[in-house]
Amino acid sequence: DPITIPAQAEDVHFEGEMVVVIGKKMRYVDKEQAAAGVFGITCGNDVSDRNWQRGAGKDNQWWRAKGCDTFAPLGPVIVTDANYANLALHTRVNGETLQDQRTDDLIFDVPTIISFISNWVTLFPGDLIYTGTPAGVAAISEGSVSGPCQIDQQACKKQPARQAIFSDQLQCFVVGVVIGLKLAACFLEYRHLYFPCPRADACERVRFDHARC
């Protein structure tokens, strides 16, 4: 389905990311247990409106900046046997490669991320963790083709962007916490609370949602 840009959105960006798919119920797990609980990985686009996220019109929470309908598309396949510690991540927009980095550049590896989250959030099979985006993010607009986001030989479907009619009906989202790539600012949010990050000087808040299978 196309990415729908809300009519009031002013600065919508793509964010190509590796997405971890959880395969076991996990709570208070160590890194070894966390690694054993990964079902597989896929690729996703953590579409974000920068104005609502951190611009003049920013909200206290990021639910609207990152949680609008059609934001965060992912798939279409889950790879269960990939070495997710060292994969190439590429994102193309209108045929031009704008992101190109490897997952071994993550500040925290996948087991560390899962173990950290499990201290506060019970993870269930089908939960998704967007692990953070490399440098190269940029704005997309109506008619842009964002994608494919590709992890080595795995590619997302291309998602054209379209403009939407604004609706004042708001939806409630439950937002989780994960740790991201080498970026400057960091805060982690879960529901209406903020938690300290182990490396608050160098990580990005992204989110996990329940998979729609």
Side-chain angles (χ1 to χ4, degrees), residues 6-183:
Q8 290 192 342
E10 297 180 0
D11 190 19
V12 177
H13 286 214
F14 69 88
E15 293 185 6
E17 304 188 17
M18 177 176 70
V19 180
V20 177
V21 184
I22 299 300
K24 296 180 179 180
K25 182 178 178 180
M26 289 185 281
R27 178 74 161 140
Y28 300 118
V29 296
D30 59 26
K31 291 178 62 175
E32 183 177 350
Q33 293 168 321
V38 174
F39 176 76
I41 59 103
T42 188
C43 47
N45 186 348
D46 190 19
V47 181
S48 307
D49 182 85
R50 301 300 186 212
N51 181 50
W52 294 335
Q53 182 184 12
R54 56 174 180 253
K58 69 178 180 181
D59 301 320
N60 288 330
Q61 300 285 332
W62 289 4
W63 67 269
R64 182 168 60 151
K66 290 179 174 283
C68 293
D69 282 350
T70 74
F71 283 18
L74 75 160
V77 298
I78 299 172
V79 177
T80 59
D81 58 353
N83 176 19
Y84 50 77
N86 187 19
L87 295 173
L89 173 65
H90 314 281
T91 307
R92 292 188 288 276
V93 177
N94 297 327
E96 180 183 0
T97 298
L98 298 181
Q99 291 184 298
D100 185 359
Q101 197 163 352
R102 302 195 69 84
T103 58
D104 62 356
D105 286 325
L106 282 163
I107 295 173
F108 301 99
D109 60 20
V110 168
T112 300
I113 292 172
I114 294 172
S115 177
F116 178 78
I117 293 171
S118 74
N119 285 295
W120 292 278
V121 179
T122 301
L123 294 169
F124 292 92
D127 279 349
L128 307 173
I129 301 175
Y130 284 65
T131 57
T133 195
V137 297
I140 55 175
S141 59
E142 183 178 4
S144 296
V145 178
S146 178
C149 165
Q150 185 171 345
I151 300 176
D152 282 347
Q153 298 304 312
Q154 182 199 175
C156 288
K157 295 179 180 177
K158 295 182 180 180
Q159 293 111 6
R162 66 184 181 192
Q163 195 73 21
I165 298 173
F166 175 72
S167 171
D168 59 2
Q169 181 181 2
L170 301 180
Q171 295 179 319
C172 180
F173 296 84
V174 177
V175 182
V177 296
V178 299
I179 306 164
L181 286 164
K182 297 178 179 176
L183 301 175

Side-chain angles (χ1 to χ4, degrees), residues 195-212:
F195 295 98
C197 172
R199 284 279 300 279
D201 61 332
C203 62
E204 182 200 20
R205 185 226 69 97
V206 292
R207 63 183 181 158
F208 84 92
D209 298 310
H210 287 287
R212 297 181 179 179

